[in-house]
Amino acid sequence: MATQPQTIQLATPRTGYRVGSEPDLSPLPPISRKKQAAVLFSAFMTIALTIGYNQCFGVFQQYYLSSSQDVLAPSPASQDSPPTALLAFVGTLCYGLTWAGGILVNPVISRIEHGTWAPTTPSTRLWRRRILRLLTPRAITISGVVMMSAGLALASISSSIWQLLLTQGFLLGLGMSLLYFPLLAPAPEYFTNHRATAMGFILAGGGVGGLVFSNMTQALLGSVGGRWTLRIYAVFNLIAGLPIAWAVPRSRFAGVSTADGPDRPNTHVSRALASRPTFLFSALAAFLQAAGAQLPLSFIPSYTVILGLTATKGANFLAASNAINAVSRVLVGYAGDRLGRQNTLILTMLLAATSVFTFWVSSVLSTTSSSQSLWLAFIAFYSFSTGGYYGLFPALIAEVFGIRQYAAVNAFILFVRGLGTMFGSPVGGQLLGSSEEGTRAYTSIAYWDGALLMGATVCCAGVRWADGKGKGWKWIA
């Protein structure tokens, strides 16, 4: 059946440009369903390789803290006070850089695509012209994949935590950022009416990747050890990542002109935009949500072991959490398109915070066999509810700030999320009690997580209030 191109209007021509409005645009090129499918698949796989890995680092963390690990010397398990917070920071540094790098990657990609990075003239030096011709979005994504594999390979020959921080943390995270943003930043431009559903499907790749990688990582660690697991990951990442990096889509705004010349989406947050209440509430919500949402994923395997279950069970619970989260991102995105994205986001955030206090705190404080049942209930409710933010916030940025501001706001919000990710779990590691306390060693962590998510919920409600005040109140928003 032949595919018919579909013309999608991303912005209505207006005059009198102001913050939040769209400048006069020439017609954007039409989009075929085939192209939309290609964007969906490539972005989905990118999320699986990057966010999916990050969401199962807790399996690596539990392995590094075990007596059977073969990477670190001396073994953290032999120390009187295991460096839990520092090992958690290896994972959160990688996760944080994956997001935070967008504040640098997005402007570079935008300038390359619109030819404003550094125009070449006959007087430009030959070596500079050659470099600029090689500097393309595809070159950046491919270099990201190579950097990711290099980080994993170098981590396999590491023997101390600071070396893991440089390789499995910094180098891997920076490579992920170079792959993540060129493929994800233009994705919302290819969808309009069902943007939240499309982005929910794309971001579900994180849950699917976490589901696959959690069990795969645990199986490899148990059979070939830590060093060979990292080497296998490095090779797999290279084989799976290079085709995705090659398929990086071009921004639909590249080549579009306005009355004033070539049109390029904003890649920096202006002072006027940064002072808006919607922006301030959004940034604070992003920081608190990232800090709180990543924290349980870091400790699901270790808390499961504390409950008397095996490390394999912990990996299975983490995989189940990612599976539920993947389904949630699609369903919540679909619901947001119909019930209002901001309304749906507030409800899911409130459910996430409530699940921490209702189930995890109760599991920690329980002295009966119900502790395991409460823990399973927490994983189910929490995994479903946290999928709401991931599935909705890209579409919300476009809705609240406009598609023309999407690149700038998205990059900044993800930068803030990166900082939040690097903040939540390491602090949680410092709050962790001694192993002699049993489940009560996690009491402070659970309360900390609940407080972070409740604060994020209040900030999301603040975005809803400020947006309604500025644009006029609507019940479905």
Side-chain angles (χ1 to χ4, degrees):
M1 180 176 176
T3 302
Q4 297 296 325
Q6 177 189 15
T7 302
I8 296 181
Q9 183 69 33
L10 292 184
T12 302
R14 303 178 189 176
T15 58
Y17 177 73
R18 58 184 173 78
V19 175
S21 68
E22 312 291 350
D24 293 335
L25 299 175
S26 61
L28 291 171
I31 308 173
S32 69
R33 296 295 184 186
K34 182 178 180 181
K35 182 62 177 179
Q36 287 181 318
V39 171
L40 276 176
F41 178 76
S42 60
F44 176 91
M45 291 301 297
T46 300
I47 291 287
L49 284 178
T50 55
I51 306 303
Y53 163 84
N54 283 319
Q55 291 190 169
C56 72
F57 180 79
V59 178
F60 276 107
Q61 180 177 317
Q62 174 61 25
Y63 175 78
Y64 290 144
L65 288 169
S66 69
S67 57
S68 61
Q69 65 88 28
D70 64 350
V71 177
L72 300 174
S75 174
S78 64
Q79 302 178 29
D80 294 334
S81 180
T84 304
L86 198 56
L87 281 170
F89 189 58
V90 174
T92 55
L93 176 62
C94 177
Y95 209 160
L97 284 175
T98 302
W99 282 335
I103 204 166
L104 298 176
V105 177
N106 270 350
V108 172
I109 292 293
S110 180
R111 281 162 172 76
I112 290 172
E113 289 194 325
H114 294 81
T116 59
W117 177 250
T120 59
T121 64
S123 62
T124 305
R125 292 182 182 275
L126 178 61
W127 64 268
R128 190 176 182 183
R129 291 203 302 268
R130 288 177 176 173
I131 290 176
L132 292 174
R133 276 198 297 266
L134 293 174
L135 193 59
T136 63
R138 184 172 291 166
I140 291 176
T141 54
I142 290 175
S143 65
V145 172
V146 173
M147 194 177 295
M148 290 164 62
S149 292
L152 291 165
L154 291 172
S156 72
I157 59 174
S158 300
S159 58
S160 60
I161 297 179
W162 73 265
Q163 291 172 338
L164 288 181
L165 283 169
L166 290 177
T167 56
Q168 199 174 1
F170 178 80
L171 192 58
L172 179 59
L174 188 59
M176 286 184 174
S177 185
L178 294 176
L179 175 66
Y180 181 95
F181 283 98
L183 280 138
L184 266 293
E189 301 170 8
Y190 286 81
F191 307 93
T192 51
N193 295 335
H194 303 288
R195 183 179 290 143
T197 304
M199 295 308 297
F201 174 83
I202 289 172
L203 295 170
V208 174
L211 169 65
V212 174
F213 292 148
S214 295
N215 287 324
M216 185 176 80
T217 301
Q218 183 62 44
L220 287 172
L221 290 173
S223 58
V224 299
R227 296 190 184 278
W228 275 104
T229 296
L230 290 167
R231 290 164 189 158
I232 292 171
Y233 255 113
V235 175
F236 169 79
N237 180 79
L238 203 61
I239 295 172
L242 286 177
I244 299 168
W246 188 266
V248 57
R250 192 184 186 199
S251 170
R252 294 192 67 217
F253 292 109
V256 175
S257 299
T258 65
D260 299 323
D263 181 66
R264 183 171 67 85
N266 295 325
T267 54
H268 295 288
V269 175
S270 66
R271 184 177 300 177
L273 178 61
S275 63
R276 291 167 60 182
T278 48
F279 183 85
L280 297 173
F281 277 123
S282 296
L284 186 55
F287 182 88
L288 295 175
Q289 195 276 341
Q294 177 62 18
L295 199 151
L297 297 178
S298 299
F299 293 99
I300 282 178
S302 59
Y303 185 77
T304 301
V305 172
I306 286 292
L307 287 174
L309 302 173
T310 64
T312 301
K313 284 284 188 181
N316 290 338
F317 290 164
L318 187 57
S321 173
N322 281 296
I324 296 170
N325 191 270
V327 174
S328 169
R329 295 183 191 199
V330 179
L331 294 179
V332 171
Y334 181 83
D337 280 334
R338 284 148 181 80
L339 305 178
R341 295 157 188 169
Q342 297 184 55
N343 296 338
T344 307
L345 178 62
I346 294 171
L347 290 175
T348 55
M349 287 297 301
L350 182 61
L351 178 60
T354 304
S355 69
V356 174
F357 291 114
T358 304
F359 298 113
W360 194 8
V361 171
S362 298
S363 174
V364 165
L365 299 178
S366 176
T367 57
T368 65
S369 58
S370 63
S371 184
Q372 290 185 12
S373 300
L374 291 168
W375 177 237
L376 290 176
F378 166 72
I379 291 175
F381 278 93
Y382 180 83
S383 302
F384 181 84
S385 55
T386 52
Y389 187 91
Y390 296 109
L392 290 170
F393 93 89
L396 272 174
I397 291 174
E399 176 182 304
V400 174
F401 300 100
I403 194 67
R404 303 293 302 157
Q405 298 287 347
Y406 178 83
V409 177
N410 184 58
F412 188 87
I413 291 296
L414 288 177
F415 172 75
V416 172
R417 284 182 60 75
L419 298 180
T421 299
M422 289 186 277
F423 174 73
S425 295
V427 172
Q430 289 292 337
L431 294 174
L432 182 65
S434 64
S435 57
E436 288 79 11
E437 297 179 66
T439 59
R440 290 183 179 269
Y442 289 78
T443 302
S444 296
I445 295 179
Y447 280 117
W448 168 242
D449 188 42
L452 289 171
L453 292 174
M454 192 59 73
T457 304
V458 172
C459 290
C460 288
V463 174
R464 176 77 167 92
W465 166 79
D467 189 55
K469 184 178 179 181
K471 297 178 181 177
W473 182 264
K474 294 185 297 183
W475 288 106
I476 304 298

